[in-house]
Amino acid sequence: IRVPDNIAEEPVLVGHELLGTICKVGKKWADEYKEGERFVVLPGIPDQMGAPGYSYPYFGGAVTYCIVPNDVIEKGCLLHYNGDAFFEVSVSEPMYCIIGGYNANYHTKSETHEHFIGAKEGENVLILGGCGPMGLGAVSYALAIENKPAKVIVTDIDDAKLERANQVISVEEAKEKGVELIYVNTAKMNNQVEELKALSVDGKGFDDVFVYVPVRGVAELGNKILAYDGCMNLFAGPTDSKFSADVNLYDCHYNATKILGSTGGNIDDMKEAIDRA
């Protein structure tokens, strides 16, 4: 949906996760940007579908040199980066998506109708299918934020991936940061709903559920184990435009459960990813 219809006649540059060094600056932007400084690009440009890596003939990451279009700069998507090395922000794009996912979640207070953004502090986070790179990014973010959850449960169906995940972000490291981290193989559970609920604080279910694999059964599992006022985020991007699952609308009505999906993030999410890196 970001690719122009005339791509056969007017090819585009690919590469939507990009950073680099500014070589030359036009007069219009000479006060804002300097030659030799480093930059990071926000790939999701506000209020338009066209994006770097999909839509521009001279702007993408898979090149040595490119030309930054005016609308990218006008909308604040060419971000300054003053860090020591490029590798520190080489995964800023996926991390900004992860941060955007946390910020997309919300909770409510029925007596006031207030909405509270983000995962609930001191409560339960469940990351279903969370042993891949993006899932582990979500774990690392949960351990870094100020309003930390009390528990983070991460699931997979492969013991080798679970063991690797614990090597990357260990249970001991999480404990040092004030979070109880549990890796669990749901394929070995007789009753996934009840056994996962039992791992939550007070056995009440989960306040924030992130679905990191686009599988119907996993999404339905996440919906079944939401706590009161729980929020489920379909983070994994399905490729099937008809992808759907059964959801409990009784719980939506009486238990204030919420279901949403998130993709990408905004400028503030990207700035946070850069700052935390």
Side-chain angles (χ1 to χ4, degrees), residues 193 211 215-225 232 244-247:
V193 172
V211 178
V215 176
R216 177 174 180 149
V218 178
E220 291 176 350
L221 172 62
N223 180 239
K224 290 175 182 176
I225 53 182
M232 185 180 92
S244 60
D246 289 333
V247 296

Coordinates of all heavy atoms in Angstrom, one line a residue, residues 193 211 215-225 232 244-247:
V193 N -4.9 -21.9 29.3 CA -5.6 -20.7 29.9 C -5.3 -20.7 31.4 O -4.9 -19.7 32.0 CB -7.1 -20.7 29.6 CG1 -7.8 -19.7 30.4 CG2 -7.3 -20.5 28.1
V211 N 0.5 -10.1 21.4 CA 0.5 -11.2 20.5 C 1.5 -11.0 19.5 O 1.4 -10.1 18.6 CB -0.9 -11.5 19.9 CG1 -0.9 -12.6 19.0 CG2 -2.0 -11.7 21.0
V215 N -1.1 -15.9 14.7 CA -1.8 -17.2 14.7 C -3.1 -17.1 15.4 O -3.1 -16.6 16.5 CB -0.8 -18.3 15.3 CG1 -1.5 -19.6 15.4 CG2 0.5 -18.4 14.6
R216 N -4.1 -17.6 14.8 CA -5.5 -17.5 15.3 C -5.6 -18.0 16.8 O -6.1 -17.4 17.7 CB -6.5 -18.2 14.4 CG -7.9 -18.1 15.0 CD -8.9 -18.7 14.0 NE -10.3 -18.7 14.6 CZ -11.4 -18.5 13.9 NH1 -11.3 -18.4 12.6 NH2 -12.5 -18.5 14.5
G217 N -5.1 -19.2 16.9 CA -5.1 -19.9 18.3 C -4.4 -19.1 19.3 O -4.9 -19.0 20.5
V218 N -3.3 -18.4 19.0 CA -2.5 -17.6 19.9 C -3.3 -16.4 20.3 O -3.4 -16.0 21.5 CB -1.2 -17.3 19.4 CG1 -0.4 -16.4 20.3 CG2 -0.4 -18.5 19.1
A219 N -3.9 -15.7 19.3 CA -4.7 -14.5 19.6 C -5.9 -14.9 20.4 O -6.3 -14.1 21.4 CB -5.2 -13.9 18.2
E220 N -6.6 -16.0 20.2 CA -7.7 -16.4 21.0 C -7.3 -16.7 22.4 O -8.0 -16.4 23.4 CB -8.4 -17.6 20.4 CG -9.1 -17.2 19.1 CD -9.7 -18.4 18.3 OE1 -9.5 -19.5 18.7 OE2 -10.5 -18.1 17.4
L221 N -6.1 -17.3 22.6 CA -5.6 -17.6 23.9 C -5.3 -16.3 24.7 O -5.7 -16.2 25.8 CB -4.2 -18.4 23.8 CG -3.4 -18.6 25.1 CD1 -4.2 -19.4 26.1 CD2 -2.1 -19.2 24.8
G222 N -4.7 -15.3 24.0 CA -4.5 -14.0 24.6 C -5.8 -13.4 25.1 O -5.8 -12.8 26.2
N223 N -6.8 -13.5 24.3 CA -8.1 -12.9 24.7 C -8.7 -13.6 25.9 O -9.4 -12.9 26.7 CB -9.1 -13.0 23.5 CG -10.4 -12.4 23.7 OD1 -11.4 -13.1 23.6 ND2 -10.5 -11.1 24.1
K224 N -8.5 -14.9 26.0 CA -9.1 -15.6 27.1 C -8.5 -15.4 28.5 O -9.1 -15.6 29.5 CB -9.1 -17.1 26.8 CG -9.9 -17.6 25.7 CD -9.7 -19.0 25.3 CE -10.6 -19.5 24.1 NZ -10.3 -20.9 23.8
I225 N -7.3 -14.8 28.5 CA -6.6 -14.7 29.8 C -6.4 -13.3 30.2 O -5.6 -13.0 31.0 CB -5.2 -15.5 29.8 CG1 -4.4 -15.0 28.6 CG2 -5.5 -17.0 29.7 CD1 -3.1 -15.8 28.5
M232 N -5.4 -6.3 25.1 CA -4.6 -7.2 24.2 C -4.2 -6.5 22.9 O -5.1 -5.9 22.3 CB -5.4 -8.4 23.9 CG -4.6 -9.5 23.1 SD -5.5 -11.0 22.6 CE -6.2 -10.5 21.0
S244 N -8.7 -13.4 11.2 CA -9.7 -13.1 12.2 C -9.6 -14.2 13.3 O -9.0 -15.2 13.1 CB -11.1 -13.0 11.7 OG -11.5 -14.2 11.1
A245 N -10.3 -13.9 14.4 CA -10.3 -14.9 15.5 C -11.6 -14.7 16.3 O -12.2 -13.6 16.3 CB -9.0 -14.7 16.4
D246 N -11.9 -15.7 17.1 CA -13.1 -15.5 18.0 C -12.6 -14.7 19.2 O -11.6 -15.0 19.8 CB -13.6 -16.9 18.5 CG -14.2 -17.7 17.3 OD1 -14.8 -17.0 16.4 OD2 -14.2 -18.9 17.4
V247 N -13.5 -13.8 19.6 CA -13.2 -13.0 20.8 C -14.4 -13.0 21.8 O -15.5 -13.2 21.3 CB -12.9 -11.5 20.5 CG1 -11.6 -11.4 19.7 CG2 -14.0 -10.8 19.8

